[in-house]
């Protein structure tokens, strides 16, 4: 953090505010790591976003915990564990850039479909959730392990297909991400990832995160259900861009 120029520091602050405004309004976000990686090392960013993600989830759940749909949360979590194990294995064996671009194309296509479906609700896709739950959970765990902060995109796909109302959507995705963040955070502590640079980055990012969450809460409160679904679709499309550009 000390080596950042003033323009880079301003860029860092802007991205954190933007990212957590999205996280506060939707319950998830996927733009922090790819954009901040332009100026900071992933070894600094990943522990930082883990801490910020845990705090953000706690802030959301403090008021919205009663909206968590526990049934669907417990259905997907075992598949997340499988995805994490697969991610650890393939991290060393696959071309991460090619994989990221393929995932980005998929997320872009689904986000575009979701946006289109809000204008043609009678033609909305109907898929068997018994098949979707394992796929979404495994992909979320896999992608979260491979790329740090993209797991929320696949939880969003899962909850979007379930047709959750906006309060249940935000609370449930925040609860899932909190659970994953606890396990990942413990792992980072175990391997000594929270070095001085990561802690300084956390300290600088915290007030920016707070501003972003305040903005996000206002956005969330002012969106009706249709606008919320369109907003989620746009977030998915935006989240695909950093993957495609890797």
């Amino acid at each position: 953090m000390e080596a950042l120029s003033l323009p880079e520091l301003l860029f860092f602050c802007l991205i954190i505010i933007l990212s957590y405004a999205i996280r506060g309004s939707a319950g998830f976000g996927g733009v922090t790591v790819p954009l901040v990686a332009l100026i900071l090392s992933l070894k600094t960013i990943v522990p930082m976003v883990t801490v910020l993600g845990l705090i953000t989830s706690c802030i959301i759940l403090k008021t919205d915990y009663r909206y968590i749909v526990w049934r669907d949360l417990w259905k997907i979590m075992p598949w997340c564990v499988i995805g994490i194990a697969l991610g650890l294995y393939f991290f060393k064996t696959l071309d991460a850039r090619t994989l990221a671009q393929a995932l980005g194309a998929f997320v872009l296509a689904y986000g575009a479909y979701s946006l289109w479906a809000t204008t043609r609700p009678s033609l909305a896709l109907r898929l068997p959730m018994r098949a979707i739950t394992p796929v979404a959970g495994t992909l979320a765990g896999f992608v979260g392990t491979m790329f740090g902060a993209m797991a929320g995109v696949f939880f969003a796909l899962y909850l979007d297909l379930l047709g959750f109302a906006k309060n249940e959507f935000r609370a449930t995705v925040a609860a899932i991400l909190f659970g994953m963040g606890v396990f990942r955070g413990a792992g980072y502590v175990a391997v000594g990832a929270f070095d001085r640079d990561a802690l300084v980055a956390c300290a600088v990012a915290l007030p920016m995160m707070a501003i972003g969450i305040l903005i996000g809460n206002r956005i969330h409160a002012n969106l009706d259900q249709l606008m919320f679904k369109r907003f989620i679709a746009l977030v998915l499309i935006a989240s695909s861009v950093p993957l495609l550009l890797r």
Side-chain angles (χ1 to χ4, degrees), residues 12-97:
F12 174 83
C13 292
L14 178 63
I15 294 303
I16 295 298
I17 292 172
L18 173 64
S19 299
Y20 288 91
I22 295 172
R23 179 78 183 267
S25 55
F28 78 103
V31 300
T32 313
V33 172
L35 293 179
V36 178
L38 296 173
I39 58 172
L40 288 177
S41 165
L42 284 175
K43 290 186 177 180
T44 299
I45 300 168
V46 173
M48 177 196 76
V49 297
T50 299
V51 171
L52 298 183
L54 285 170
I55 295 171
T56 304
S57 291
C58 286
I59 292 170
I60 293 171
L61 295 173
K62 181 180 178 181
T63 55
D64 288 4
Y65 69 91
R66 62 187 181 279
Y67 294 114
I68 298 172
V69 182
W70 293 101
R71 178 187 68 254
D72 293 308
L73 184 151
W74 294 124
K75 284 180 181 178
I76 200 171
M77 287 305 293
W79 297 104
C80 295
V81 175
I82 294 173
I84 290 170
L86 289 172
L88 290 171
Y89 173 76
F90 284 107
F91 184 77
K92 294 183 178 181
T93 60
L94 287 182
D95 179 353
R97 182 173 180 271

Side-chain angles (χ1 to χ4, degrees), residues 114 118 160 163 224-234:
S114 295
T118 63
D160 183 56
D224 61 27
Q225 185 62 28
L226 177 61
M227 291 302 297
F228 182 76
K229 288 183 72 65
R230 290 176 177 170
F231 176 71
I232 292 299
L234 291 172

Side-chain angles (χ1 to χ4, degrees), residues 234-245:
L234 291 172
V235 172
L236 290 171
I237 292 170
S239 297
S240 73
V241 174
L243 285 172
L244 291 169
L245 296 178

